[in-house]
Amino acid sequence: MSTLTIILNVLAPPVSVFLKRGVHNDFAISLLLTLFFFVPGILHAFYITNQKNRVL
């Protein structure tokens, strides 16, 4: 995981999920978690960015 990914995961979780997966369900979940509960949004971003590439 790059330093930029870690920084984006902490400061702007939806942006890092968007860069990894694009506009998809994961982005919407990350956005909602970040807006309502910031820490779960960060955890979700780390989870998504650490996964191997998967077929959508």
Side-chain angles (χ1 to χ4, degrees):
M1 182 181 318
S2 70
T3 305
L4 179 62
T5 305
I6 294 171
I7 292 169
L8 281 176
N9 282 343
V10 173
L11 297 179
V15 173
S16 63
V17 173
F18 172 75
L19 292 175
K20 176 75 174 183
R21 296 278 172 87
V23 179
H24 200 261
N25 291 340
D26 293 326
F27 174 73
I29 291 169
S30 179
L31 185 63
L32 288 174
L33 284 173
T34 303
L35 287 175
F36 294 118
F37 320 102
F38 191 71
V39 174
I42 293 172
L43 296 175
H44 181 259
F46 273 107
Y47 174 74
I48 295 298
T49 55
N50 282 327
Q51 284 184 336
K52 299 289 182 192
N53 290 337
R54 67 178 181 157
V55 178
L56 298 176

